[in-house]
Amino acid sequence: MEHISHFILDLIGRLGYMGVFVVMTLGNMGLPVGTEIVMPAAGALAASKGNMTWFGAGLAGTLGEIVGGSILYAIGYAGGRPFVVRYGKYVKLSEKKLDQFHGFYTRKGNIVVFVCRFLPFVRGVSALPAGVSKMQKRYFLTYTALGSAIFCFGLAYLGSILGQHIDELTPQIHKFSLGIVVGLVVAVVAFVVFRITRKPNVA
């Protein structure tokens, strides 16, 4: 994982915002690029080199996620279940997992797309079953954009805080960002459970 971190840092360092955009796009098309590493790395580079800002990096990452997710959504929408059965193994999405995703979308609706934005690995492939399930595009884009913005801007900012020590930070990026993601997952799940279990007030 440390080698991947160095590669990502080098790519972002060379291409700047475009590097962030490209990597996050690929990460949301099912490629295992470690999106939870990219944003803290971008934020750290913004602080240490000054050729980017954490806000710009967060924006580039968010746009990359929306574009990558939209492409995967369109593939699922057009290819349907047969596409997943034939090619899903390449992004570790089996027919069984597709059925589970479809069940989640049916029972819980749009909130599933939002929650998936905070789950490692799942966030990179969740757009495919959303497309297969024919989820309405406006809801898919809205919840994807909202979740991605929180994820990207949050991790970019946190990376910028520690960016003055980029050399020491690099080996710890994965552990640090994974901890933040876990915290976000717990917060989001707690909110969803609260909304589902809350009883309406009785006059």
Side-chain angles (χ1 to χ4, degrees):
M1 186 60 69
E2 183 175 345
H3 294 298
I4 297 177
S5 299
H6 282 296
F7 171 76
I8 291 174
L9 285 169
D10 183 64
L11 180 64
I12 297 173
R14 291 174 181 272
L15 300 181
Y17 296 128
M18 182 55 66
V20 177
F21 175 82
V22 169
V23 174
M24 296 302 282
T25 297
L26 295 176
N28 281 267
M29 294 176 62
L31 277 69
V33 300
T35 54
E36 72 276 7
I37 298 175
V38 178
M39 297 317 305
L45 282 172
S48 63
K49 292 189 176 181
N51 60 335
M52 295 189 297
T53 65
W54 72 265
F55 185 88
L59 180 59
T62 300
L63 292 176
E65 293 217 330
I66 293 173
V67 170
S70 296
I71 293 174
L72 201 60
Y73 172 91
I75 292 173
Y77 195 96
R81 190 181 188 86
F83 178 88
V84 176
V85 172
R86 185 170 183 179
Y87 299 106
K89 59 183 179 181
Y90 295 109
V91 293
K92 298 182 180 180
L93 182 63
S94 64
E95 192 172 2
K96 180 180 179 180
K97 289 182 179 178
L98 176 63
D99 289 336
Q100 292 175 341
F101 271 115
H102 183 74
F104 290 145
Y105 289 133
T106 300
R107 294 194 305 271
K108 304 302 181 184
N110 306 317
I111 193 63
V112 174
V113 174
F114 177 75
V115 172
C116 284
R117 292 290 86 206
F118 303 96
L119 301 177
F121 171 70
V122 173
R123 67 190 319 276
V125 299
S126 61
L128 184 61
V132 173
S133 299
K134 308 295 183 182
M135 182 179 184
Q136 293 188 49
K137 298 181 183 66
R138 65 178 183 273
Y139 292 128
F140 170 78
L141 290 174
T142 298
Y143 283 87
T144 295
L146 180 59
S148 294
I150 296 173
F151 180 89
C152 292
F153 282 99
L155 290 183
Y157 177 70
L158 289 169
S160 72
I161 295 176
L162 301 178
Q164 300 300 327
H165 305 283
I166 183 64
D167 293 332
E168 296 85 355
L169 174 63
T170 301
Q172 304 300 324
I173 285 178
H174 180 66
K175 293 180 181 179
F176 174 75
S177 58
L178 184 58
I180 297 300
V181 170
V182 170
L184 288 172
V185 170
V186 172
V188 171
V189 171
F191 173 76
V192 172
V193 171
F194 172 75
R195 291 295 301 273
I196 292 175
T197 59
R198 186 179 63 178
K199 296 179 180 180
N201 294 328
V202 179

